[in-house]
């Protein structure tokens, strides 16, 4: 997204936006590994880079967008960011199935996170269309566009 530009944090160390570490929050290494994969999907990151492009109908969507922007921030203070706010939103949305201090399954978290973001994106698009009284075809979410397979 930002090319190969290196940045210098307040601690003087160089880092590349997008290639930053994530703080481990007591047994949440499965979240960090999952996020490192998700933030490599260019279309998804571009969509969430601007908070004005996507409908914020849920705290999970808001926190996910914030984390994407922190990871890819060229003016970051250091080469690491904390997924704490996102993990709190995941904990609430999942009814404490995934929480800090408890090990979790990364595949289950991936399914949960993608489904939750997909549903919130669709919900937000419906609200926008209802407000604008638009009769466009049903919206497909950015999650569907980026993660749905294709048959050739």
């Amino acid at each position: 997204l930002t090319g190969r530009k290196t940045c210098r944090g307040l601690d003087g160390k160089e880092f590349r936006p997008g290639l930053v570490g994530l703080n481990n929050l007591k047994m949440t290494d499965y979240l960090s590994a999952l996020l490192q994969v998700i933030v490599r999907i260019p279309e998804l990151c571009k969509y969430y880079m601007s908070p004005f492009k996507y409908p914020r109908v849920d705290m999970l969507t808001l926190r996910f967008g914030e984390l994407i922007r922190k990871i890819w921030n060229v003016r970051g203070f250091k080469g690491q960011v904390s997924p704490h706010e996102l993990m709190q939103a995941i904990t609430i949305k999942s009814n404490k199935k995934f929480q800090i201090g408890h090990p979790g399954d990364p595949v289950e978290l991936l399914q949960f996170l993608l489904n939750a973001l997909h549903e919130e994106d669709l919900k937000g698009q419906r609200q926008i269309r209802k407000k604008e009284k638009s009769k466009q075809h049903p919206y497909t979410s950015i999650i569907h566009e980026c993660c749905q397979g294709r048959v050739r």
Side-chain angles (χ1 to χ4, degrees):
L1 289 171
T2 60
R4 296 189 178 263
K5 181 180 178 184
T6 59
C7 302
R8 189 174 302 276
L10 289 179
D11 57 1
K13 295 180 182 175
E14 287 189 350
F15 69 94
R16 287 187 182 165
L19 297 176
V20 298
L22 296 171
N23 295 341
N24 192 6
L25 309 168
K26 289 189 182 178
M27 302 174 132
T28 59
D29 50 337
Y30 66 101
L31 171 70
S32 297
L34 175 69
L35 290 173
Q36 291 290 3
V37 171
I38 290 176
V39 300
R40 300 291 172 262
I41 303 172
E43 296 84 9
L44 189 66
C45 291
K46 287 176 187 173
Y47 181 76
Y48 284 100
M49 288 292 280
S50 172
F52 305 108
K53 283 186 179 178
Y54 61 90
R56 292 174 306 230
V57 295
D58 181 278
M59 189 58 69
L60 179 63
T61 303
L62 177 68
R63 296 299 183 209
F64 183 75
E66 285 176 351
L67 186 66
I68 294 285
R69 290 189 299 279
K70 286 179 187 178
I71 289 172
W72 288 99
N73 187 359
V74 295
R75 294 183 185 94
F77 294 120
K78 54 187 173 181
Q80 65 186 30
V81 296
S82 177
H84 189 263
E85 294 86 3
L86 176 62
M87 190 63 199
Q88 286 180 320
I90 290 171
T91 299
I92 292 166
K93 185 83 172 178
S94 71
N95 294 320
K96 298 186 179 181
K97 182 175 182 178
F98 305 103
Q99 52 184 316
I100 296 171
H102 298 279
D105 182 6
V107 174
E108 287 182 18
L109 179 60
L110 176 64
Q111 291 171 337
F112 169 79
L113 185 59
L114 293 180
N115 284 333
L117 291 171
H118 170 72
E119 290 298 321
E120 289 303 319
D121 197 24
L122 290 176
K123 184 178 172 184
Q125 293 302 324
R126 282 192 295 270
Q127 288 177 357
I128 290 170
R129 291 208 175 127
K130 189 176 181 181
K131 185 190 251 185
E132 295 173 354
K133 297 180 182 170
S134 175
K135 304 257 187 213
Q136 294 178 354
H137 295 289
Y139 179 78
T140 57
S141 76
I142 188 67
I143 301 297
H144 184 267
E145 290 175 18
C146 293
C147 300
Q148 182 69 30
R150 293 189 179 103
V151 178
R152 291 182 185 195

